[in-house]
Short mmCIF file of all heavy atoms in Angstrom, two decimals:
data_model
loop_
_atom_site.label_atom_id
_atom_site.label_comp_id
_atom_site.label_asym_id
_atom_site.label_seq_id
_atom_site.Cartn_x
_atom_site.Cartn_y
_atom_site.Cartn_z
N SER P 270 62.07 115.13 159.33
CA SER P 270 62.51 116.51 159.12
C SER P 270 63.95 116.70 159.61
O SER P 270 64.76 117.36 158.96
CB SER P 270 61.58 117.48 159.83
OG SER P 270 60.26 117.36 159.35
N ASN P 271 64.26 116.10 160.75
CA ASN P 271 65.62 116.19 161.28
C ASN P 271 66.63 115.51 160.35
O ASN P 271 67.75 116.00 160.18
CB ASN P 271 65.69 115.55 162.67
CG ASN P 271 64.88 116.31 163.69
OD1 ASN P 271 64.60 117.51 163.52
ND2 ASN P 271 64.48 115.65 164.77
N LEU P 272 66.21 114.38 159.76
CA LEU P 272 67.11 113.67 158.86
C LEU P 272 67.38 114.48 157.60
O LEU P 272 68.53 114.58 157.14
CB LEU P 272 66.51 112.31 158.51
CG LEU P 272 67.38 111.39 157.64
CD1 LEU P 272 68.69 111.05 158.34
CD2 LEU P 272 66.63 110.11 157.28
N ASN P 273 66.35 115.08 157.05
CA ASN P 273 66.53 115.91 155.86
C ASN P 273 67.38 117.15 156.16
O ASN P 273 68.22 117.56 155.35
CB ASN P 273 65.17 116.33 155.29
CG ASN P 273 64.47 115.20 154.57
OD1 ASN P 273 65.02 114.63 153.64
ND2 ASN P 273 63.28 114.85 155.00
N GLN P 274 67.15 117.72 157.33
CA GLN P 274 67.91 118.91 157.71
C GLN P 274 69.38 118.57 157.94
O GLN P 274 70.28 119.40 157.72
CB GLN P 274 67.30 119.52 158.98
CG GLN P 274 67.98 120.78 159.47
CD GLN P 274 67.82 121.92 158.48
OE1 GLN P 274 66.85 121.97 157.73
NE2 GLN P 274 68.79 122.84 158.47
N ALA P 275 69.64 117.32 158.35
CA ALA P 275 71.02 116.92 158.66
C ALA P 275 71.91 116.96 157.42
O ALA P 275 73.13 117.15 157.53
CB ALA P 275 71.03 115.52 159.26
N PHE P 276 71.32 116.79 156.23
CA PHE P 276 72.13 116.78 155.02
C PHE P 276 72.52 118.17 154.55
O PHE P 276 73.39 118.33 153.70
CB PHE P 276 71.37 116.06 153.90
CG PHE P 276 71.32 114.58 154.07
CD1 PHE P 276 70.21 113.99 154.66
CD2 PHE P 276 72.36 113.77 153.68
CE1 PHE P 276 70.15 112.63 154.84
CE2 PHE P 276 72.30 112.40 153.85
CZ PHE P 276 71.20 111.82 154.44
N THR P 277 71.89 119.18 155.08
CA THR P 277 72.18 120.55 154.63
C THR P 277 73.26 121.22 155.46
O THR P 277 74.02 122.05 154.95
CB THR P 277 70.90 121.39 154.68
OG1 THR P 277 70.41 121.45 156.02
CG2 THR P 277 69.84 120.79 153.78
N ASP P 278 73.32 120.89 156.73
CA ASP P 278 74.28 121.62 157.58
C ASP P 278 75.13 120.68 158.42
O ASP P 278 75.59 121.03 159.50
CB ASP P 278 73.53 122.58 158.51
CG ASP P 278 72.45 121.88 159.32
OD1 ASP P 278 72.30 120.64 159.18
OD2 ASP P 278 71.75 122.57 160.09
N ILE P 279 75.33 119.46 157.90
CA ILE P 279 76.09 118.50 158.69
C ILE P 279 77.59 118.79 158.61
O ILE P 279 78.08 119.31 157.62
CB ILE P 279 75.81 117.07 158.20
CG1 ILE P 279 76.42 116.05 159.15
CG2 ILE P 279 76.35 116.83 156.81
CD1 ILE P 279 75.94 114.66 158.88
N SER P 280 78.30 118.46 159.67
CA SER P 280 79.76 118.59 159.66
C SER P 280 80.33 117.67 160.72
O SER P 280 79.64 117.23 161.63
CB SER P 280 80.17 120.04 159.96
OG SER P 280 79.73 120.41 161.25
N VAL P 281 81.58 117.36 160.55
CA VAL P 281 82.30 116.57 161.55
C VAL P 281 83.36 117.49 162.14
O VAL P 281 84.34 117.83 161.50
CB VAL P 281 82.95 115.33 160.92
CG1 VAL P 281 83.73 114.55 161.98
CG2 VAL P 281 81.90 114.46 160.28
N GLY P 282 83.15 117.91 163.38
CA GLY P 282 84.02 118.91 163.96
C GLY P 282 83.85 120.21 163.21
O GLY P 282 82.77 120.77 163.12
N ASP P 283 84.93 120.70 162.59
CA ASP P 283 84.87 121.93 161.80
C ASP P 283 84.93 121.66 160.29
O ASP P 283 84.97 122.59 159.50
CB ASP P 283 86.03 122.86 162.18
CG ASP P 283 85.92 123.31 163.63
OD1 ASP P 283 84.78 123.47 164.10
OD2 ASP P 283 86.96 123.49 164.27
N SER P 284 84.95 120.37 159.93
CA SER P 284 85.09 120.04 158.51
C SER P 284 83.73 119.73 157.91
O SER P 284 83.05 118.81 158.36
CB SER P 284 86.01 118.82 158.34
OG SER P 284 87.26 119.08 158.91
N PRO P 285 83.28 120.49 156.92
CA PRO P 285 81.99 120.20 156.30
C PRO P 285 82.06 118.92 155.48
O PRO P 285 83.12 118.46 155.09
CB PRO P 285 81.75 121.42 155.42
CG PRO P 285 83.11 121.92 155.12
CD PRO P 285 83.95 121.63 156.33
N ILE P 286 80.89 118.32 155.23
CA ILE P 286 80.83 117.09 154.46
C ILE P 286 81.23 117.38 153.02
O ILE P 286 80.87 118.40 152.44
CB ILE P 286 79.40 116.50 154.52
CG1 ILE P 286 79.34 115.15 153.82
CG2 ILE P 286 78.37 117.45 153.95
CD1 ILE P 286 78.02 114.43 154.01
N ASP P 287 82.03 116.48 152.40
CA ASP P 287 82.45 116.72 151.03
C ASP P 287 81.37 116.28 150.06
O ASP P 287 80.40 115.62 150.41
CB ASP P 287 83.78 116.00 150.74
CG ASP P 287 83.68 114.50 150.97
OD1 ASP P 287 82.70 113.89 150.52
OD2 ASP P 287 84.60 113.95 151.61
N SER P 288 81.54 116.64 148.81
CA SER P 288 80.52 116.41 147.80
C SER P 288 80.29 114.93 147.53
O SER P 288 79.17 114.49 147.26
CB SER P 288 80.90 117.13 146.51
OG SER P 288 82.18 116.67 146.05
N THR P 289 81.37 114.13 147.58
CA THR P 289 81.24 112.69 147.33
C THR P 289 80.36 112.03 148.39
O THR P 289 79.42 111.27 148.08
CB THR P 289 82.62 112.01 147.29
OG1 THR P 289 83.43 112.65 146.31
CG2 THR P 289 82.48 110.54 146.97
N ASP P 290 80.66 112.32 149.67
CA ASP P 290 79.85 111.76 150.76
C ASP P 290 78.42 112.28 150.70
O ASP P 290 77.46 111.54 150.95
CB ASP P 290 80.47 112.10 152.11
CG ASP P 290 81.72 111.27 152.39
OD1 ASP P 290 81.92 110.27 151.69
OD2 ASP P 290 82.48 111.65 153.30
N ARG P 291 78.28 113.55 150.35
CA ARG P 291 76.93 114.12 150.27
C ARG P 291 76.10 113.40 149.19
O ARG P 291 74.93 113.06 149.41
CB ARG P 291 77.01 115.61 149.97
CG ARG P 291 75.63 116.30 150.00
CD ARG P 291 75.79 117.78 149.64
NE ARG P 291 76.62 118.46 150.63
CZ ARG P 291 76.16 118.93 151.79
NH1 ARG P 291 74.88 118.76 152.11
NH2 ARG P 291 76.97 119.55 152.62
N ALA P 292 76.72 113.13 148.05
CA ALA P 292 76.01 112.42 146.98
C ALA P 292 75.65 111.00 147.40
O ALA P 292 74.55 110.51 147.11
CB ALA P 292 76.88 112.40 145.71
N ARG P 293 76.59 110.34 148.10
CA ARG P 293 76.32 108.98 148.56
C ARG P 293 75.16 108.95 149.54
O ARG P 293 74.27 108.12 149.46
CB ARG P 293 77.59 108.39 149.19
CG ARG P 293 77.39 106.99 149.78
CD ARG P 293 78.75 106.37 150.08
NE ARG P 293 79.56 107.22 150.94
CZ ARG P 293 79.50 107.16 152.29
NH1 ARG P 293 78.67 106.32 152.89
NH2 ARG P 293 80.28 107.93 153.00
N TYR P 294 75.18 109.89 150.49
CA TYR P 294 74.11 109.93 151.48
C TYR P 294 72.79 110.35 150.86
O TYR P 294 71.72 109.87 151.25
CB TYR P 294 74.49 110.88 152.62
CG TYR P 294 75.44 110.27 153.61
CD1 TYR P 294 76.70 110.84 153.84
CD2 TYR P 294 75.10 109.13 154.31
CE1 TYR P 294 77.58 110.27 154.74
CE2 TYR P 294 75.97 108.55 155.21
CZ TYR P 294 77.21 109.13 155.43
OH TYR P 294 78.08 108.58 156.32
N GLN P 295 72.84 111.23 149.89
CA GLN P 295 71.62 111.62 149.20
C GLN P 295 71.01 110.43 148.47
O GLN P 295 69.78 110.27 148.44
CB GLN P 295 71.91 112.76 148.21
CG GLN P 295 72.22 114.09 148.85
CD GLN P 295 70.99 114.74 149.49
OE1 GLN P 295 69.89 114.23 149.41
NE2 GLN P 295 71.20 115.88 150.12
N ALA P 296 71.86 109.58 147.89
CA ALA P 296 71.36 108.38 147.22
C ALA P 296 70.73 107.42 148.24
O ALA P 296 69.67 106.84 147.97
CB ALA P 296 72.50 107.69 146.47
N GLN P 297 71.35 107.27 149.40
CA GLN P 297 70.77 106.42 150.44
C GLN P 297 69.44 106.99 150.92
O GLN P 297 68.47 106.24 151.12
CB GLN P 297 71.75 106.30 151.61
CG GLN P 297 72.97 105.45 151.32
CD GLN P 297 73.88 105.34 152.54
OE1 GLN P 297 73.74 106.08 153.50
NE2 GLN P 297 74.81 104.40 152.48
N LEU P 298 69.39 108.29 151.09
CA LEU P 298 68.16 108.92 151.54
C LEU P 298 67.05 108.74 150.51
O LEU P 298 65.89 108.47 150.86
CB LEU P 298 68.39 110.40 151.82
CG LEU P 298 67.18 111.18 152.34
CD1 LEU P 298 66.71 110.63 153.66
CD2 LEU P 298 67.53 112.66 152.47
N PHE P 299 67.40 108.87 149.22
CA PHE P 299 66.41 108.69 148.16
C PHE P 299 65.88 107.25 148.17
O PHE P 299 64.68 107.01 148.00
CB PHE P 299 67.03 109.02 146.81
CG PHE P 299 66.11 108.79 145.65
CD1 PHE P 299 65.08 109.68 145.37
CD2 PHE P 299 66.26 107.66 144.84
CE1 PHE P 299 64.22 109.45 144.30
CE2 PHE P 299 65.41 107.43 143.78
CZ PHE P 299 64.38 108.34 143.51
N GLU P 300 66.79 106.28 148.37
CA GLU P 300 66.37 104.87 148.43
C GLU P 300 65.42 104.63 149.59
O GLU P 300 64.39 103.95 149.46
CB GLU P 300 67.60 103.97 148.56
CG GLU P 300 67.25 102.49 148.68
CD GLU P 300 68.47 101.64 149.02
OE1 GLU P 300 69.57 102.22 149.20
OE2 GLU P 300 68.32 100.41 149.13
N ILE P 301 65.75 105.21 150.76
CA ILE P 301 64.91 105.03 151.94
C ILE P 301 63.54 105.66 151.73
O ILE P 301 62.50 105.07 152.08
CB ILE P 301 65.62 105.62 153.17
CG1 ILE P 301 66.86 104.80 153.51
CG2 ILE P 301 64.67 105.67 154.37
CD1 ILE P 301 67.72 105.41 154.59
N GLU P 302 63.50 106.86 151.17
CA GLU P 302 62.23 107.52 150.92
C GLU P 302 61.39 106.75 149.91
O GLU P 302 60.16 106.67 150.03
CB GLU P 302 62.47 108.94 150.44
CG GLU P 302 63.01 109.87 151.52
CD GLU P 302 63.28 111.26 150.99
OE1 GLU P 302 63.48 111.39 149.75
OE2 GLU P 302 63.30 112.21 151.79
N THR P 303 62.05 106.15 148.91
CA THR P 303 61.32 105.35 147.93
C THR P 303 60.70 104.12 148.58
O THR P 303 59.53 103.79 148.32
CB THR P 303 62.27 104.92 146.80
OG1 THR P 303 62.86 106.08 146.19
CG2 THR P 303 61.53 104.12 145.75
N LEU P 304 61.48 103.43 149.43
CA LEU P 304 60.95 102.26 150.13
C LEU P 304 59.79 102.64 151.04
O LEU P 304 58.77 101.93 151.10
CB LEU P 304 62.07 101.60 150.95
CG LEU P 304 63.18 100.92 150.15
CD1 LEU P 304 64.33 100.51 151.07
CD2 LEU P 304 62.64 99.70 149.42
N LYS P 305 59.92 103.75 151.73
CA LYS P 305 58.86 104.21 152.61
C LYS P 305 57.58 104.51 151.82
O LYS P 305 56.47 104.16 152.23
CB LYS P 305 59.31 105.45 153.38
CG LYS P 305 58.28 106.03 154.35
CD LYS P 305 58.89 107.18 155.12
CE LYS P 305 57.90 107.78 156.11
NZ LYS P 305 56.78 108.45 155.42
N THR P 306 57.73 105.14 150.65
CA THR P 306 56.57 105.45 149.81
C THR P 306 55.89 104.19 149.31
O THR P 306 54.65 104.09 149.30
CB THR P 306 57.01 106.31 148.61
OG1 THR P 306 57.64 107.50 149.09
CG2 THR P 306 55.82 106.69 147.75
N GLN P 307 56.69 103.19 148.94
CA GLN P 307 56.13 101.92 148.48
C GLN P 307 55.36 101.22 149.60
O GLN P 307 54.29 100.65 149.36
CB GLN P 307 57.23 101.01 147.95
CG GLN P 307 57.89 101.49 146.66
CD GLN P 307 59.02 100.58 146.22
OE1 GLN P 307 59.32 99.58 146.87
NE2 GLN P 307 59.66 100.93 145.12
N LEU P 308 55.89 101.26 150.81
CA LEU P 308 55.22 100.62 151.94
C LEU P 308 53.89 101.30 152.26
O LEU P 308 52.91 100.64 152.61
CB LEU P 308 56.13 100.64 153.17
CG LEU P 308 57.36 99.73 153.13
CD1 LEU P 308 58.26 99.99 154.33
CD2 LEU P 308 56.94 98.27 153.09
N GLU P 309 53.88 102.62 152.14
CA GLU P 309 52.67 103.37 152.50
C GLU P 309 51.60 103.33 151.40
O GLU P 309 50.40 103.29 151.70
CB GLU P 309 53.03 104.82 152.80
CG GLU P 309 53.86 104.99 154.06
CD GLU P 309 54.30 106.43 154.28
OE1 GLU P 309 54.29 107.21 153.29
OE2 GLU P 309 54.64 106.77 155.42
N ASN P 310 52.04 103.28 150.14
CA ASN P 310 51.09 103.43 149.03
C ASN P 310 50.64 102.11 148.42
O ASN P 310 49.65 102.09 147.68
CB ASN P 310 51.69 104.31 147.93
CG ASN P 310 51.96 105.72 148.41
OD1 ASN P 310 51.35 106.19 149.38
ND2 ASN P 310 52.88 106.41 147.75
N SER P 311 51.35 101.03 148.70
CA SER P 311 50.94 99.75 148.10
C SER P 311 50.92 98.64 149.15
O SER P 311 51.71 97.70 149.10
CB SER P 311 51.90 99.38 146.96
OG SER P 311 53.24 99.32 147.44
N PRO P 312 50.04 98.76 150.13
CA PRO P 312 49.97 97.72 151.17
C PRO P 312 49.38 96.42 150.61
O PRO P 312 48.57 96.42 149.69
CB PRO P 312 49.04 98.33 152.21
CG PRO P 312 48.19 99.29 151.46
CD PRO P 312 49.07 99.83 150.36
N ASN P 313 49.83 95.31 151.18
CA ASN P 313 49.34 93.99 150.80
C ASN P 313 48.72 93.35 152.04
O ASN P 313 49.30 92.48 152.68
CB ASN P 313 50.49 93.14 150.24
CG ASN P 313 50.01 91.78 149.75
OD1 ASN P 313 48.81 91.56 149.56
ND2 ASN P 313 50.94 90.87 149.55
N ARG P 314 47.53 93.83 152.40
CA ARG P 314 46.91 93.41 153.65
C ARG P 314 46.50 91.94 153.65
O ARG P 314 46.21 91.38 154.71
CB ARG P 314 45.68 94.28 153.93
CG ARG P 314 46.00 95.76 154.07
CD ARG P 314 46.85 96.00 155.31
NE ARG P 314 47.23 97.38 155.46
CZ ARG P 314 46.46 98.33 156.00
NH1 ARG P 314 45.24 98.03 156.39
NH2 ARG P 314 46.90 99.56 156.11
N SER P 315 46.44 91.32 152.50
CA SER P 315 46.03 89.90 152.47
C SER P 315 47.00 89.02 153.23
O SER P 315 46.62 87.95 153.75
CB SER P 315 45.91 89.42 151.02
OG SER P 315 47.17 89.52 150.36
N GLN P 316 48.26 89.42 153.32
CA GLN P 316 49.24 88.63 154.06
C GLN P 316 48.89 88.54 155.54
O GLN P 316 49.20 87.55 156.20
CB GLN P 316 50.63 89.24 153.89
CG GLN P 316 51.25 89.05 152.52
CD GLN P 316 51.58 87.60 152.24
OE1 GLN P 316 51.93 86.85 153.14
NE2 GLN P 316 51.44 87.21 150.98
#
């Protein structure tokens, strides 16, 4: 929840995050959430 909230109101000093960085971080966050979903929903316990 803290990580998701960080993308909405993040800033460095008094400068808000620009759109390019926001899109890049959103893509990273989407990748991480996808990996987490795959780990949780398709376990391979035989290993």
Side-chain angles (χ1 to χ4, degrees):
S270 300
N271 294 338
L272 184 61
N273 285 303
Q274 181 65 28
F276 286 96
T277 61
D278 54 1
I279 189 168
S280 62
V281 178
D283 296 326
S284 302
I286 184 172
D287 58 45
S288 57
T289 304
D290 286 345
R291 185 182 297 278
R293 177 167 55 88
Y294 281 120
Q295 289 288 358
Q297 288 182 345
L298 181 62
F299 177 76
E300 178 189 2
I301 292 172
E302 289 178 337
T303 303
L304 291 171
K305 180 176 180 293
T306 302
Q307 292 177 0
L308 290 173
E309 292 176 340
N310 296 338
S311 57
N313 184 15
R314 299 294 177 83
S315 61
Q316 288 293 327

